[in-house]
Amino acid sequence: MMTRNHLRRHCMLKRIHKRVSPGTFSRAITIVFTISFFLNSTLSADSFWDTLDKSKIQKEITLTNETVAKLVERLKPAVVNISVTQLVKQEIPHGFGGEDPFGDFWKRFFGNQEPKEFKRKSLGSGFIINKDGYIVTNTHVVQKAKDITVILYNKEQYPARVVGTDPKTDIALIKIEPKGNLTSVPLGDSDSLKEGESVIAIGNPFGLAETVTAGIVSAKGRVIGAGPYDDFIQTDASINPGNSGGPLMNYHGEVVGINTAIVATAQGIGFAVPINMAKDILLQLKDKGKVIRGWLGVSIQEITPELSRSFGLEEERGALVSDVLPGGPAEKAGFKRGDVILEANGKLIKDYYELPRMVASMSPGEKVTFKVLRDGKEQTFSTEIGELREEEAAKPLDSVQKQLGISLQPVTPEIAAELGMKRAEGVIVTNVEPNSLASEAGFQRGDVILEVDRTPVNNLQDFSETIRKADKTILFLLYRNGSTFYISIKSSQKEG
């Protein structure tokens, strides 16, 4: 989506800079998060979107100006421009010399906390997946929309309605009622993508309709701090504000990703949601208007080298259980804090953030078997996945953060590079509540907490444990705008 504020960086295009969307992602991405699972839809994919006959697809494509031009000519009519009138809250710069380079990122995932609302025009992209008028885009493109207008390749305009949105993955489904035939684009297989494979992005960057850019798949499985389902395709095909929701396509003419995010200060680095992740979500959005997820009831964190040695792991793998929520499936199955989940239904967990994606296809009510390391010995637990409720999703939010009036996230390598840090360390402040302890002490969005009471902070668990042990005045070492400095808060003002 694009507004004047977003001309220099895209919603991160949604995310590492969320574009505008005053998102609901804030609950979804506390790294100590509640694991959730996608429920399979009852709809048939074959009847909802087109696919190509794999037997007719060339295994190797010789790229020439003529073949690329013909491909673009065929694909363009399936890509739409989306004009939205949104109700958004007043924006006030926070730090960074009066201009917040992460402003889009904060609003996309944590919401704009200012009290005033006003109307704003913004632009995004989308693509038609069937001739009935169903269009895929990003949630942040249509979130808080008062009016949505879809502009087709032939300049026809149609009002659109939102069928359903999933803020946790930034995927949305909208629909128009066309008067004539529509051109749709088939959905491909993002799992089969290879690094170095050629791709094309088509969208509406900076309001420049039907812009085509080409590049390659730079990497797969990128984790950029968006949430528990991070699994982005990285591409160097040029993506800018306004490309949000547009398709990333292979040279067979299939959609393999939904363009969603950019790094604000970088060139040739864009991110797309894999289309295979989107398929189950789109079916549920059409069927139910929302995504139903299962619930395990644990909070997890990364296995660092230090933690790996402490828990007797031969290598850094698995997901460390930092908390077991009362009454949840995990507690009933016998999970305990300090367990390291190594496998889910026989599938290895190499990195902690793989666990939610690994079980994403499991349905609430389904029996799942987990292999767990406890006290140096492997054990097996079986449990029936529950259904995630919004109130349950909010439970993992750390009470310490609430008391201080801040929201925190881990610093990923991408965020560290964005902030000019030499390495990824500490936790980043993503929101500061007005009139809170943190606000009065001088915390700002974008600050990175490196130490608490002279103890290094490597993750959210470190932060919470150190804060709870603090006495009298708590001393924070912060990183801001390339410099480090100290801020203190009197612990006597904290609850408990």
Side-chain angles (χ1 to χ4, degrees):
M1 198 182 326
M2 182 183 69
T3 68
R4 184 181 66 179
N5 250 0
H6 303 115
L7 291 183
R8 20 180 214 99
R9 66 239 191 230
H10 176 45
C11 47
M12 196 215 315
L13 184 341
K14 126 207 159 159
R15 193 280 36 66
I16 260 192
H17 285 20
K18 162 305 185 151
R19 219 229 63 15
V20 115
S21 134
T24 64
F25 233 125
S26 54
R27 294 191 196 88
I29 68 180
T30 17
I31 80 188
V32 198
F33 54 81
T34 298
I35 301 174
S36 56
F37 311 83
F38 296 121
L39 173 62
N40 292 331
S41 173
T42 58
L43 290 178
S44 167
D46 293 338
S47 62
F48 191 33
W49 59 71
D50 295 330
T51 57
L52 293 182
D53 184 348
K54 300 302 179 186
S55 65
K56 296 181 180 179
I57 293 180
Q58 295 173 258
K59 298 213 171 158
E60 299 292 338
I61 298 176
T62 302
L63 299 181
T64 66
N65 288 337
E66 183 178 3
T67 58
V68 175
K70 286 183 178 179
L71 180 65
V72 170
E73 183 179 7
R74 176 162 59 88
L75 296 175
K76 265 190 172 184
V79 181
V80 304
N81 299 329
I82 300 175
S83 176
V84 177
T85 300
Q86 287 183 313
L87 289 176
V88 297
K89 295 179 180 179
Q90 180 181 2
E91 300 176 41
I92 297 180
H94 295 263
F96 295 98
E99 192 168 2
D100 184 353
F102 266 70
D104 293 332
F105 172 65
W106 310 138
K107 291 194 291 289
R108 168 65 186 83
F109 296 104
F110 309 102
N112 187 340
Q113 302 300 315
E114 306 299 339
K116 296 181 179 179
E117 287 190 338
F118 62 97
K119 291 182 180 180
R120 175 164 57 193
K121 291 284 188 180
S122 56
L123 299 173
S125 304
F127 54 95
I128 302 168
I129 60 172
N130 71 27
K131 296 181 180 180
D132 292 331
Y134 285 96
I135 296 169
V136 177
T137 186
N138 284 145
T139 293
H140 73 262
V141 171
V142 296
Q143 195 168 35
K144 300 288 185 180
K146 183 174 178 62
D147 299 296
I148 305 173
T149 300
V150 169
I151 306 169
L152 303 183
Y153 178 71
N154 61 7
K155 309 306 178 186
E156 290 182 0
Q157 298 187 15
Y158 292 95
R161 65 178 176 87
V162 175
V163 177
T165 64
D166 182 41
K168 290 181 173 63
T169 57
D170 203 19
I171 295 170
L173 184 67
I174 64 175
K175 191 176 187 305
I176 62 174
E177 301 298 332
K179 297 177 182 178
N181 293 328
L182 295 176
T183 299
S184 60
V185 62
L187 305 189
D189 178 11
S190 54
D191 290 344
S192 66
L193 272 180
K194 297 179 180 179
E195 293 181 4
E197 184 172 340
S198 298
V199 286
I200 292 173
I202 303 179
N204 186 32
F206 302 112
L208 301 172
E210 299 143 18
T211 294
V212 181
T213 57
I216 63 170
V217 174
S218 304
K220 296 174 61 178
R222 286 299 196 203
V223 176
I224 59 176
Y229 307 120
D230 270 23
D231 185 21
F232 289 97
I233 300 167
Q234 181 182 329
T235 179
D236 67 350
S238 182
I239 297 174
N240 290 287
N243 276 112
S244 285
L248 184 71
M249 292 176 277
N250 62 22
Y251 274 60
H252 297 300
E254 302 169 297
V255 176
V256 292
I258 305 170
N259 297 323
T260 303
I262 62 173
V263 176
T265 59
Q267 294 183 356
I269 299 179
F271 300 97
V273 176
I275 200 63
N276 285 10
M277 176 186 287
K279 288 176 180 177
D280 287 341
I281 293 171
L282 292 174
L283 291 173
Q284 290 197 64
L285 292 180
K286 182 179 185 299
D287 193 17
K288 309 177 183 72
K290 62 180 182 179
V291 177
I292 296 175
R293 290 179 167 92
W295 181 53
L296 180 58
V298 297
S299 297
I300 64 173
Q301 68 180 82
E302 181 180 12
I303 300 289
T304 63
E306 295 77 15
L307 289 174
S308 178
R309 290 190 292 270
S310 298
F311 286 91
L313 288 166
E314 296 180 357
E315 55 183 327
E316 297 166 37
R317 68 181 184 92
L320 175 60
V321 177
S322 58
D323 198 11
V324 180
L325 302 184
E331 184 188 52
K332 295 175 182 178
F335 281 80
K336 293 182 179 180
R337 183 180 299 152
D339 287 344
V340 179
I341 303 176
L342 302 174
E343 297 181 9
N345 276 354
K347 295 182 179 179
L348 294 177
I349 300 167
K350 296 180 180 179
D351 293 295
Y352 80 106
Y353 53 78
E354 291 180 348
L355 182 59
R357 302 201 309 250
M358 187 175 291
V359 296
S361 61
M362 299 175 184
S363 303
E366 182 177 345
K367 282 280 188 181
V368 182
T369 300
F370 296 93
K371 181 180 287 187
V372 170
L373 184 70
R374 176 183 293 175
D375 298 328
K377 297 180 181 180
E378 292 186 358
Q379 300 185 34
T380 301
F381 296 91
S382 294
T383 186
E384 185 176 294
I385 298 302
E387 182 178 331
L388 181 68
R389 306 292 183 183
E390 285 304 315
E391 61 272 18
E392 290 164 348
K395 286 181 181 178
L397 293 177
D398 195 284
S399 61
V400 172
Q401 295 181 42
K402 291 182 180 179
Q403 292 166 9
L404 296 177
I406 56 176
S407 297
L408 302 172
Q409 285 296 299
V411 176
T412 65
E414 290 78 12
I415 292 176
E418 177 76 15
L419 294 178
M421 300 175 67
K422 294 180 180 179
R423 63 181 183 277
E425 59 179 328
V427 292
I428 187 169
V429 177
T430 58
N431 188 58
V432 180
E433 293 292 336
N435 303 316
S436 64
L437 294 176
S439 174
E440 293 174 0
F443 279 84
Q444 297 181 2
R445 293 192 301 178
D447 287 346
V448 176
I449 301 174
L450 300 175
E451 295 180 3
V452 175
D453 276 352
R454 300 187 185 278
T455 300
V457 171
N458 296 311
N459 50 53
L460 293 180
Q461 188 75 6
D462 287 351
F463 174 83
S464 298
E465 291 180 355
T466 308
I467 290 290
R468 290 188 176 104
K469 296 175 183 177
D471 186 29
K472 297 182 180 180
T473 300
I474 308 173
L475 186 65
F476 298 87
L477 177 63
L478 304 185
Y479 171 94
R480 181 190 297 169
N481 292 341
S483 301
T484 57
F485 60 97
Y486 288 99
I487 280 182
S488 63
I489 290 180
K490 290 185 178 179
S491 61
S492 59
Q493 300 178 48
K494 297 190 303 167
E495 296 179 12

